Amino acid sequence: MEIITPHRIKSREVLITDLERVKNDSIGMAELCNKPIGRKSGGLAIAHCQITDNDPLRFFVTKNCDIYVNPKIVKSFGKKTRRLEGCLSFASLRDITVNRFDQIEASCFDKDLNFVGTFSLVGTLARVFQHEIDHFNGINIYGIKLL
């Protein structure tokens, strides 16, 4: 499994019929998070659309092997703050400053499509959620025009 060229294909919601694909692909995705790629020593998370442009699904995997299926940001708190951020899809580029909320309320499902609930995230994990959800919507932090 490898990271593909970035694209603007929007990810679709994961359905029950997709669960085997989620489970199979998540293994390789976690491995990608934990290996050096370009300038990066690994990544905090990777979205499914970073490994396929053939029917990408709305889930991401963290380097700790946590799987977040159909995640949503329910609410953002406070002001946005500027922090350095990088992306495995652009692993040869330097990290850049990105403006994001440091606290969000999110919801998601687990790898079996059981609703996890609504929960609060702060700091790095809140920023990771926002970054990966941007990927689902065909948005990248570098503002590079994609095909």
Side-chain angles (χ1 to χ4, degrees), residues 7-83:
H7 56 84
R8 289 207 184 274
I9 299 169
K10 293 188 178 184
S11 301
R12 71 167 174 82
E13 296 257 323
V14 173
L15 306 172
I16 289 177
T17 54
D18 299 314
L19 292 183
E20 192 65 32
R21 187 172 171 212
V22 169
K23 291 174 186 175
N24 290 336
D25 288 355
S26 64
I27 296 165
M29 291 165 66
E31 289 172 359
L32 282 172
C33 285
N34 286 290
K35 79 175 205 179
I37 301 171
R39 293 175 165 265
K40 313 292 181 227
S41 59
L44 298 176
I46 188 166
H48 190 248
C49 57
Q50 290 178 270
I51 64 152
T52 186
D53 56 5
N54 180 17
D55 191 27
L57 302 173
R58 289 183 75 86
F59 79 94
F60 71 89
V61 178
T62 69
K63 71 177 186 173
N64 298 326
C65 301
D66 298 318
I67 303 170
Y68 296 90
V69 178
N70 297 335
K72 290 184 172 54
I73 297 172
V74 176
K75 187 176 180 182
S76 302
F77 299 93
K79 294 181 184 177
K80 289 184 175 183
T81 58
R82 297 171 61 76
R83 302 263 190 271

Side-chain angles (χ1 to χ4, degrees), residues 77-135:
F77 299 93
K79 294 181 184 177
K80 289 184 175 183
T81 58
R82 297 171 61 76
R83 302 263 190 271
L84 280 178
E85 196 170 301
C87 182
L88 291 176
S89 289
F90 299 91
S92 63
L93 299 179
R94 294 184 190 277
D95 291 359
I96 63 170
T97 303
V98 179
N99 214 18
R100 295 198 189 275
F101 290 100
D102 278 328
Q103 185 175 359
I104 63 170
E105 194 172 283
S107 67
C108 72
F109 293 81
D110 67 14
K111 65 180 175 32
D112 297 311
L113 221 49
N114 296 311
F115 186 61
V116 172
T118 302
F119 44 91
S120 293
L121 299 167
V122 296
T124 301
L125 195 50
R127 297 178 74 84
V128 166
F129 257 70
Q130 293 166 85
H131 180 106
E132 301 310 327
I133 288 173
D134 279 352
H135 276 301

